[in-house]
Amino acid sequence: MIPITEYAGRDVAVFGLGRTGLSAAKALKAGGARVHAWDDDEDTRRQAEAAGMTLSDINKRDWQTFAALVLSPGIPYKFPQPHRIVRMAEMTGVPIVGDMELFARAVQALPERGRPKIVGITGTNGKSTTTSLVGHILKQAGRDARIGGNIGTGVLDLAALHANATYVLELSSYQLDLVKSLHCDIAVLLNISPDHLDRHGGMEGYQAAKMRIFQNQTERDTAVVGFDDVITQSIAIGLAARGPARVVQASSSYALGRGVSAVDGRLYDSTSGNAVFVGNLADCAALPGKHNHQNAVAAYATCRALGLDPQTIMEGLKSFTGLAHRMERVGEIEGVRFINDSKATNAQAAEQALKSYDNIYWIAGGVPKSDGIGPLTPYFPRISKAYLYGEAEEPFANALKGRVATQGCGTLENAVQAAFRDAKNSGIDNPVILLSPACASFDQFRDFEHRGDTFRSIVEAMMPTELRELA
C-alpha cells in the first residue's frame, strides 16, 4: 500500500467503493486521515464492510468539514451530468480528486532523487495488454516493476514508493479527467476511436482527457504515440513540433523513418534514423494480429526509453503469455471452444476477436456504446449466431436483423447455455463460443473482470469433472 499522508488529521469523503475507491480509502486511513467512505449501492457497501471498511453516510455529513472528495472513476464527473455528490462538493467548495491524483501528489512530495519512474499507458484499445506487456518485460529483465491502475491492482494498493521502482500504470479516460499533478517519465498513447463519449461530452472531450497523460512532461521525458489512426498521427506530429518531450512514433501499419514499426510482423527500430531489424513477432505466441503488433511496438519503444537493450525486450515479448479476459481460452467441451474476451468493451475491441475466429457463436451485450456494432458489419459472415443479453439486447438484435440469426437471452448464463447447445449440435468443425461483448459491463456486473470471471465459472460448471480439473 502507498499511504497518503496529505490529509493526515483531516476529514476526507470517499465516494464509490469499488476497487479504486476502497484502495483510496485504505491509503488515506493509513496516512492518518479521517475517512468517510460511502457508496449508493447497498451490495457494494456490504462488500466494503466485509473488507473491513467503516462506512459513513456522507449525504448526512457537514460538507464544510471535508478537506477533499475522492471520487471513484466510475462516477459521472462532468457528463452527461455531474453526479449529485459532485454537485454537492462544488457547491461547498470541496476539491475533487481521484486515486491517481493522490498517487501523483505522493510522488511529487518526494525529493526528486527519491522518486520512482512512472510509465503511464492509455488509448481506446490495447492499453491493458500493453501495460501487462511492459511490466512483464521489465520483470524479466530484473527490474522492480509494479503494475496497476485501471488494470488488476488499484494504484494505491501497489507496493510503497521507492526510487528504484518503475510503476507501470494503465490510465483510463475517467482517471485522466481527475488528474492535474501526474508526471509520466514515459507517456504512451496507443490509439483513439470513439468511446465513452457520453462521459466526456463528445469526441473532443474524450480526446482532451487522453491528452492529459502528456501534460506535465519535460524535455527529459518520452512520449510514445501510436501512428496507426488519423487522430494519433496528428497528435504525434503536434507533440514533436511543440515539445517538450521526445516523441517516439509506434506503428503496426507503416514503416516509419523514425520510430518503431512492425512491418509484416517484423519488428524494426528506426529511432536512430536507420531501420534495424529486432525480431519476428510471429515468434510471440501471445501477440497475434496487427492490434497486438501495435501493443508490441509501443511496449518495445517504452522499454527502450527505460534503458533495456533490443534483444532483452524481444525475449520478453516472446515469453509473454497473454492477458486474462482478452481472447483468453477458458476451455473446450465436446469439441466446442470457449473464448473469454470480456475486455472488449466497445466495437473496435470486439473487432479484433471477431476477425480472429470462424464459426463463431457470439455472446454480446451489456451497456451499449454510442457507435453500437455498426463497425463490425464486415465480420458478420463469421458469426453463426449471436446470443444477446442486457441493455444491448434490443438494439443489437435490430442491427443484426436479416444478417445474423439472434437469440435474446436476458443474462450471460442463459446466453452461454444456449450457445453451447447450438454449437455442439451444429455439426460444424471447431465451433467457437466467443464472449466479446462490445459493451460496458455495468448493467449486470461490477466491471469487465467480474463479467469474464463469471463467464469462466459458468463454463467450468458445465465441464465434466475430469476436464474441470485440467482447466
Side-chain angles (χ1 to χ4, degrees):
M1 179 187 294
I2 301 172
I4 300 300
T5 59
E6 179 181 354
Y7 297 102
R10 293 190 283 174
D11 294 277
V12 178
V14 177
F15 185 68
L17 297 179
R19 179 178 58 198
T20 57
L22 272 179
S23 171
K26 291 175 181 178
L28 286 160
K29 185 176 180 180
R34 292 188 294 270
V35 177
H36 302 266
W38 192 251
D39 194 291
D40 282 341
D41 184 78
E42 185 176 349
D43 287 340
T44 303
R45 293 199 302 269
R46 191 179 300 116
Q47 291 166 12
E49 286 185 304
M53 182 56 56
T54 301
L55 301 182
S56 172
D57 189 347
I58 59 176
N59 296 283
K60 300 176 181 178
R61 306 291 303 190
D62 178 5
W63 276 69
Q64 300 293 337
T65 66
F66 290 145
L69 166 65
V70 179
L71 191 69
S72 289
I75 309 298
Y77 176 44
K78 295 179 180 177
F79 301 99
Q81 60 183 10
H83 190 279
R84 59 179 174 76
I85 291 293
V86 172
R87 294 198 302 270
M88 193 175 297
E90 291 174 340
M91 286 188 296
T92 53
V94 176
I96 301 172
V97 297
D99 67 324
M100 200 60 64
E101 176 65 13
L102 294 177
F103 168 80
R105 291 181 187 178
V107 172
Q108 293 303 308
L110 296 172
E112 189 169 351
R113 290 186 178 181
R115 297 173 189 168
K117 292 286 187 184
I118 308 298
V119 176
I121 299 170
T122 196
T124 304
N125 297 306
K127 53 187 179 291
S128 294
T129 298
T130 305
T131 301
S132 298
L133 187 52
V134 170
H136 170 78
I137 295 168
L138 292 174
K139 287 182 176 180
Q140 290 294 105
R143 298 285 186 94
D144 181 358
R146 302 168 185 187
I147 307 157
N150 193 51
I151 181 177
T153 305
V155 66
L156 297 176
D157 276 336
L158 295 173
L161 297 171
H162 191 279
N164 292 325
T166 301
Y167 288 79
V168 186
L169 308 176
E170 178 184 325
L171 301 171
S172 71
S173 57
Y174 299 171
Q175 288 173 313
L176 286 167
D177 245 352
L178 290 165
V179 297
K180 294 181 180 178
S181 309
L182 183 66
H183 168 232
C184 296
D185 298 275
I186 301 166
V188 182
L189 174 60
L190 295 165
N191 47 60
I192 293 182
S193 57
D195 199 15
H196 306 305
L197 300 190
D198 58 330
R199 277 289 304 270
H200 296 285
M203 192 63 183
E204 184 176 345
Y206 177 58
Q207 182 175 331
K210 292 295 189 187
M211 289 292 291
R212 293 174 75 88
I213 197 170
F214 303 115
Q215 65 183 344
N216 294 315
Q217 287 200 294
T218 71
E219 65 279 355
R220 292 177 293 179
D221 303 322
T222 300
V224 176
V225 185
F227 209 74
D228 292 330
D229 63 80
V230 173
I231 296 174
T232 53
Q233 287 172 2
S234 177
I235 289 170
I237 293 168
L239 287 173
R242 64 177 180 267
R246 170 179 175 259
V247 176
V248 178
Q249 298 172 0
S251 176
S252 62
S253 299
Y254 305 101
L256 300 173
R258 281 189 179 274
V260 182
S261 310
V263 181
D264 296 327
R266 293 167 63 83
L267 180 60
Y268 291 92
D269 183 344
S270 57
T271 51
S272 64
N274 297 314
V276 177
F277 174 68
V278 177
N280 196 332
L281 295 177
D283 297 331
C284 306
L287 297 169
K290 186 172 284 189
H291 64 291
N292 272 319
H293 293 176
Q294 185 187 57
N295 301 333
V297 294
Y300 175 90
T302 299
C303 291
R304 283 293 286 144
L306 288 168
L308 298 189
D309 66 84
Q311 290 312 308
T312 296
I313 300 171
M314 194 64 206
E315 289 305 312
L317 292 172
K318 290 177 183 178
S319 61
F320 182 61
T321 56
L323 185 67
H325 311 294
R326 195 69 178 107
M327 288 191 276
E328 174 192 16
R329 181 168 173 161
V330 298
E332 182 174 323
I333 307 174
E334 298 182 43
V336 179
R337 286 178 291 161
F338 292 81
I339 305 297
N340 171 20
D341 194 44
S342 182
K343 186 70 175 67
T345 59
N346 57 45
Q348 288 74 23
E351 175 185 345
Q352 310 306 331
L354 288 174
K355 68 184 182 184
S356 298
Y357 303 101
D358 292 301
N359 304 327
I360 298 169
Y361 291 78
W362 183 34
I363 299 175
V367 183
K369 300 297 178 67
S370 59
D371 60 344
I373 54 173
L376 301 178
T377 302
Y379 308 100
F380 288 173
R382 295 174 175 264
I383 301 171
S384 298
K385 188 174 178 180
Y387 304 81
L388 310 175
Y389 71 93
E391 293 180 17
E393 189 171 312
E394 184 177 348
F396 280 17
N398 290 335
L400 293 166
K401 189 174 183 179
R403 299 174 177 180
V404 177
T406 65
Q407 181 174 334
C409 298
T411 67
L412 176 59
E413 183 169 9
N414 290 342
V416 174
Q417 292 173 349
F420 178 56
R421 181 181 60 247
D422 290 346
K424 73 177 181 179
N425 293 329
S426 67
I428 295 173
D429 290 335
N430 303 312
V432 172
I433 294 177
L434 172 66
L435 171 67
S436 191
C439 287
S441 57
F442 304 130
D443 57 343
Q444 297 184 11
F445 303 97
R446 291 190 303 274
D447 50 33
F448 76 84
E449 291 163 324
H450 181 209
R451 177 171 62 191
D453 290 341
T454 300
F455 176 73
R456 187 186 296 108
S457 296
I458 294 167
V459 174
E460 288 176 355
M462 294 165 57
M463 289 180 176
T465 302
E466 61 273 17
L467 288 180
R468 198 179 310 163
E469 290 172 351
L470 294 172

